[in-house]
Amino acid sequence: TRALGQVVIRLTGDFQAPSNNVIRRASANVDALATSFSFRQDTERVNGVPVYKTLLSVKFDPESVDALISAAGLKYWSSDRPKPILWLAIDDGRGPRLVTSKQLNVVKPLASRGLEVGMRYLLPAGTSTELASVDSIWSMNAAAMQVLTDRYRNDMQLLGKVYRQPPGWAADWLLTQSGVELARWSFAGSDPQRVIASGVDEGASAIAKRDSTKLDTGVAGPQLVEVAGVNSQSDFIRLMSYLQSMAVVRKLTVLQATPEKLRLQLDLAIGMKGFATMVGTGDTLIFVSEAGSGSAARFNLR
């Protein structure tokens, strides 16, 4: 369930996507979308003490996940993700200082949060000119910092300042591209790592909203379907259970049952193109043909 949520977030740029009703329903039957599972052991040291973790790796069928995203009414963030230059100044009470590429651990919370949505951030080298630019960062002077960003052949920059604000910490952020403001936001909290990580969500959402597109999975709505191979009561129960478990099936009605076929009407959240793709990854139905004039889409029960 968590793995599917992570994939959907990365593909849509929407951190709220896992709470979508269609995505939540699909999470209850995640095996239908997954192609493989594997486990591996990992170790990290916390305060000098080794901590052992078991990590789960899940591979999903790309076309089925795309169809699910479409059925949920979400947009697909298909373009290449930008890599903003991060101009971050932190004041812990001793005056603001620039965070450079030599201090990667400082921005680890932000970098980790960015990876969840497929965003990477670049840190400045820390030249004397850049170190002297702290006042421009602190005043959110995007135009002044763009001159330095241009030296990295980059047109996108994220300006941030993190400072103590009793009883905790606060941050102000500004994301621009080619001199145009994309997003501006603030965050406050007791955990400084969470405050630093707050530099991701609003900016990534703004970029995703601008660059995301709808996927073509066909026209949603009622669809006539014929299923061959339903030869027993157990076959019928297996088919009904499978269809009712699919997040993209909003309603199903049995129209006709004969020894040769079962005729159904499915109210789908996606078109037949997307539905056929999703069932193709499972072990219950085989797509045979699309609906013709006055005829139903045809499937075989495995």
Side-chain angles (χ1 to χ4, degrees):
T1 297
R2 183 178 178 184
L4 178 61
Q6 291 176 338
V7 169
V8 171
I9 288 173
R10 180 165 294 193
L11 293 176
T12 62
D14 184 355
F15 283 101
Q16 303 304 317
S19 63
N20 178 283
N21 287 335
V22 173
I23 303 299
R24 290 174 60 188
R25 283 191 59 199
S27 298
N29 190 32
V30 71
D31 289 354
L33 301 172
T35 58
S36 67
F37 301 85
S38 63
F39 293 90
R40 65 180 177 87
Q41 299 294 323
D42 193 17
T43 306
E44 67 175 344
R45 303 189 75 85
V46 178
N47 297 325
V49 179
V51 177
Y52 301 95
K53 298 180 179 180
T54 299
L55 302 179
L56 169 65
S57 177
V58 184
K59 292 184 178 181
F60 294 95
D61 177 72
E63 293 184 343
S64 294
V65 174
D66 288 350
L68 180 65
I69 289 172
S70 178
L74 301 171
K75 290 185 176 181
Y76 185 81
W77 191 2
S78 57
S79 62
D80 292 336
R81 310 295 164 86
K83 298 177 181 178
I85 296 291
L86 173 61
W87 298 107
L88 176 62
I90 298 178
D91 185 356
D92 60 1
R94 294 174 293 175
R97 290 168 293 174
L98 177 69
V99 178
T100 72
S101 59
K102 299 176 183 179
Q103 301 161 306
L104 294 177
N105 283 338
V106 175
V107 297
K108 185 177 179 180
L110 184 146
S112 298
R113 184 66 170 174
L115 288 177
E116 291 182 27
V117 75
M119 288 277 292
R120 295 180 182 273
Y121 297 83
L122 306 177
L123 284 172
T127 65
S128 57
T129 301
E130 292 169 350
L131 292 173
S133 69
V134 170
D135 288 344
S136 294
I137 299 173
W138 210 254
S139 62
M140 294 281 135
N141 188 339
M145 296 311 301
Q146 187 63 52
V147 175
L148 298 180
T149 295
D150 290 341
R151 296 182 180 182
Y152 291 93
R153 297 181 180 180
N154 200 327
D155 64 348
M156 184 173 288
Q157 59 182 8
L158 174 63
L159 278 60
K161 62 177 184 180
V162 174
Y163 49 94
R164 288 189 178 277
Q165 180 175 282
W169 294 78
D172 298 323
W173 304 97
L174 172 61
L175 179 69
T176 70
Q177 184 171 27
S178 300
V180 178
E181 181 176 319
L182 301 181
R184 184 189 295 263
W185 67 102
S186 299
F187 185 88
S190 59
D191 183 354
Q193 292 192 348
R194 186 178 178 188
V195 172
I196 291 175
S198 71
V200 175
D201 292 26
E202 295 293 333
S205 295
I207 299 171
K209 184 177 180 179
R210 182 192 66 183
D211 296 343
S212 296
T213 58
K214 285 284 189 179
L215 294 171
D216 179 18
T217 58
V219 180
Q223 301 278 356
L224 288 177
V225 170
E226 291 182 356
V227 182
V230 185
N231 301 316
S232 65
Q233 183 179 21
S234 61
D235 287 341
F236 178 82
I237 293 174
R238 181 162 63 93
L239 174 61
M240 292 298 106
S241 298
Y242 173 69
L243 293 175
Q244 290 171 351
S245 71
M246 295 186 71
V248 298
V249 178
R250 296 182 293 211
K251 182 180 179 181
L252 70 87
T253 304
V254 178
L255 301 178
Q256 183 182 23
T258 68
E260 294 80 23
K261 63 188 177 184
L262 183 66
R263 190 176 180 88
L264 307 168
Q265 179 170 281
L266 303 180
D267 184 8
L268 301 178
I270 52 176
M272 185 53 63
K273 177 182 177 182
F275 180 74
T277 297
M278 294 190 72
V279 300
T281 61
D283 57 2
T284 304
L285 288 175
I286 301 173
F287 177 64
V288 177
S289 64
E290 296 182 4
S293 178
S295 65
R298 297 174 58 217
F299 294 82
N300 289 337
L301 184 67
R302 292 181 185 269

